[in-house]
Amino acid sequence: MKLPALNNKSERPAELNRREFFKSGAAVASVTLAPGVTLMAFGGEASANADPGKRWGMLIDVNKCSTDCNACVTACSEENGWKLDGNPETDPQWIRKIDLKHKETGREASLPMMCQHCETPPCVDVCPTGASFKRVDGIVLVDKHICIGCRYCMMACPFKARSFVHEEIEDQKSNAPRGKGTVESCTLCVHRVDAGRVPACVESCSATGNGAMMFGDLNDPNSEIAQALKNYPSMGLRDDLRVNPGVRYTNL
Amino acid sequence: MDRTVYREVKPTPAIWLMAVIAAAFIGAAGLAVLYIEHHGHIVTGMNNQIVWGLPHVFAIFLIVAASGALNVASIASVFGKIENKPMARYSGLLSIALLAGGLAVLVLDLGRPDRLIVAMTKYNFTSIFAWNVILYNGFFAVVGAYLFVQMARNISPKVVKSVGTAAFVWRLALTTGTGSIFGWLVARPGYDAAIMAPLFIIMSFSFGLAFFILVLGTTFPLTGRYIGPNLVKRLGRLLGVFAVAVLYFTAIRHLTNLYAAEHGDFERFILFSGNIYTKLFWIGQVLIGGVIPAAMLLRHAENTTKGQVILASVLIIIGGFAHLYGIIIGGQAFPLEIFPMYEVTSTFADGQINNYTPTIYEWALGMGGVALAVMIAGMGVVALRILPMNLSDRNIDPTEPDF
Ligand code: SF4
Ligand code: SF4
């Protein structure tokens, strides 16, 4: 497993461009400020890996998602170490399945819901400390070093994508640092994306054969996802708010 | 000229008793905070749906009241109302005390209160919260300076007036900032109204003055000093006007929301669905906190007694709590509408009305904030020359007959 380790400089790719170099400098500073807690945060380091030319996103085909499938939720929970443990009111839920029934037509549908990685994220706008931040490649994260647990971002998120950690956490995954008293949400599996892989939910969805989730670079006109978005109708949730989510839905 | 004599209050047994009670509440709040910090917010009634709970109701009430408590001083020095002048110092002290109490609650409810230093050193300037941190700190400084220039010798009235004006402007900004916390939550139907900022300003006038009257009216006699009935009447009349203004702005808020189609469901939820928020609205906020005290204070304004004015202040404070509970908790209880045309179900309470039952820890924390405000105000009047020896009507305005 590749840890998002920054204090280990030998792991850094040799061909850092200037921007990355600058960013990683900032990351080292933040690491030095807080020795021993390097794994507790997505700080400058997670930013350093981001490619400003990309915008990562997802396309979810609601027709292909089945009501009784929960594979994406299970995969996320295993990948990132959170558990829905019998207290749905306080347990964290980075991703959840929502079942829908149209009020007029009765049409039923089911879809996964998680942080939509908004282009203009309200959670980032309201965060007093800057703990909520958006990487240059569009992934929205919480820096666990500086989150004070005010929950203003949870009030501001239009999609209830965030959870507050209400209890002490055991068995953390090193790729998904978490902490009691801070807020967390889907990271788009940033640790996987930075290693050139796709998010765990997407992988598990294809494994079921449903293939309802597509992941890719929205900025690359030749990517599969950009092509699909170009050729088929899709929508961002709450488009009226103009947050331009990076997660889009089709056949809804 | 200011003929008023200010003296430190001698701690009588009654004052000691108040101090002991306040200290007990503060101690209980401290224990509650330690308990919550140790176990996490799981031991509170707050959850991932109702993320701001009772502590926020207390905190925002105190912060809003803080800027309102400065009214009496502002009226004296900014608007030149000489008869309010003897109470100006106390008004300034009380506003500092209330703000400190409110902020303490807000900070101690954070998931990581130990990181307060982060909040003080890292600012995200697009966040209204970050601006509020600056506004709150500045308020202490400006009102502190205002107290100082009032109490120091040989400071020209011009200086007092300009510092007083600065404090007045600052407090308007502070309340606007507090109201805007909600105005920024565009996704929630209960909050995204421009009227929130002016509503909060008028609420601060009302709650702050009510608190001022209540504390003055109950503690002044405890210190063995005299307060004139006409003075209380005049403050009462002003309070009555503020109470009516709050009712008016509340009506506008809900009426405009009712006409905005996308907010209709939320308004029906708050106003007519018969749940706790409906009751809090009609009984707590409108009746107890608005109509009844306004009638008490304004109907026969000439004949209101001290007791009635104090009672009306208590009612307005109760109504104010109901009001903020409705805004803060009610606004979160109503489900977010992500899929307008669909009925939705999930493990994360999508589409459901969210429940909230505060625990003893949240009550303890909130009450501790009130107690802290009382304690600071009390220590202030004991240690400093804040309170005038006499607030009889003749002492304040020589044309008034004394009783
Ligand atoms: S979905 Fe919510 S948490 Fe995710 S970026 Fe948008 S506002 Fe932030
Ligand atoms: S809870 Fe943390 S991430 Fe969210 S707004 Fe507060 S400080 Fe920012």
Side-chain angles (χ1 to χ4, degrees), chain B residues 114-382:
Chain B
D114 53 313
R115 288 188 180 162
L116 182 60
I117 189 72
V118 174
M120 293 293 182
T121 50
K122 289 201 184 270
Y123 291 106
N124 164 22
F125 285 106
T126 61
S127 169
I128 188 75
F129 245 27
W131 283 103
N132 277 335
V133 174
I134 295 170
L135 287 170
Y136 297 150
N137 286 329
F139 189 83
F140 284 123
V142 176
V143 179
Y146 182 40
L147 266 182
F148 176 80
V149 294
Q150 286 185 83
M151 295 170 65
R153 279 170 217 279
N154 302 329
I155 298 230
S156 94
K158 273 211 182 101
V159 173
V160 177
K161 181 165 176 163
S162 37
V163 180
T165 309
F168 178 69
V169 172
W170 199 278
R171 56 140 301 185
L172 288 183
L174 183 138
T175 323
T176 310
T178 308
S180 305
I181 289 176
F182 297 96
W184 270 83
L185 303 174
V186 289
R188 298 196 181 248
Y191 295 146
D192 69 328
I195 194 145
M196 285 309 238
L199 174 66
F200 267 73
I201 290 186
I202 197 67
M203 275 161 53
S204 84
F205 283 180
S206 175
F207 306 165
L209 185 57
F211 218 96
F212 180 89
I213 294 174
L214 178 64
V215 180
L216 189 73
T218 49
T219 55
F220 222 61
L222 283 185
T223 66
R225 298 180 189 188
Y226 179 75
I227 180 166
N230 281 352
L231 170 67
V232 179
K233 242 181 250 176
R234 210 169 41 231
L235 291 174
R237 217 158 31 217
L238 190 60
L239 183 62
V241 173
F242 289 160
V244 171
V246 171
L247 280 177
Y248 174 75
F249 273 85
T250 305
I252 303 241
R253 171 178 171 225
H254 290 288
L255 284 175
T256 47
N257 251 356
L258 266 178
Y259 277 104
E262 71 273 23
H263 294 343
D265 286 341
F266 174 73
E267 285 303 322
R268 279 186 285 282
F269 169 73
I270 294 289
L271 299 181
F272 309 119
S273 66
N275 55 25
I276 166 93
Y277 308 104
T278 309
K279 293 188 188 107
L280 280 174
F281 179 81
W282 291 109
I283 301 174
Q285 185 181 335
V286 174
L287 206 61
I288 297 180
V291 176
I292 295 176
M296 283 171 68
L297 295 169
L298 297 177
R299 248 171 62 92
H300 304 291
E302 276 317 301
N303 301 323
T304 37
T305 61
K306 273 189 217 173
Q308 280 170 334
V309 175
I310 289 176
L311 178 62
S313 302
V314 172
L315 294 182
I316 284 177
I317 289 172
I318 294 173
F321 266 100
H323 196 159
L324 286 171
Y325 196 95
I327 289 181
I328 297 170
I329 315 289
Q332 297 172 82
F334 189 74
L336 276 181
E337 232 186 28
I338 307 172
F339 304 95
M341 286 311 290
Y342 289 89
E343 286 164 18
V344 291
T345 47
S346 78
T347 52
F348 206 55
D350 285 282
Q352 288 171 28
I353 307 284
N354 302 306
N355 295 317
Y356 173 63
T357 316
T359 62
I360 180 91
Y361 309 109
E362 285 139 294
W363 281 106
L365 176 54
M367 295 299 293
V370 179
L372 182 64
V374 171
M375 186 69 118
I376 293 174
M379 289 191 333
V381 298
V382 169

Side-chain angles (χ1 to χ4, degrees), chain A residues 113-124 132-134 138-142 153-154 156-162 184-186 243 245:
Chain A
M113 175 64 123
M114 72 301 268
C115 172
Q116 305 284 296
H117 299 278
C118 310
E119 186 184 1
T120 49
C123 59
V124 173
S132 280
F133 71 103
K134 190 181 69 165
I139 299 180
V140 175
L141 298 172
V142 179
C153 53
M154 299 176 75
C157 174
F159 310 106
K160 297 204 299 183
R162 294 200 154 176
E184 55 187 25
S185 55
C186 154
V243 293

Side-chain angles (χ1 to χ4, degrees), chain A residues 21-76:
Chain A
F21 181 78
F22 179 73
K23 288 238 165 193
S24 56
V28 171
S30 90
V31 167
T32 333
L33 275 176
V37 278
T38 36
L39 287 177
M40 283 295 291
F42 289 115
E45 158 213 336
S47 292
N49 297 329
D51 177 344
K54 294 195 187 316
R55 179 166 187 221
W56 296 114
M58 245 190 238
L59 176 62
I60 291 162
D61 186 339
V62 180
N63 269 352
K64 293 184 183 163
C65 180
S66 113
T67 311
D68 20 78
C69 178
N70 212 32
C72 52
V73 179
T74 316
C76 177

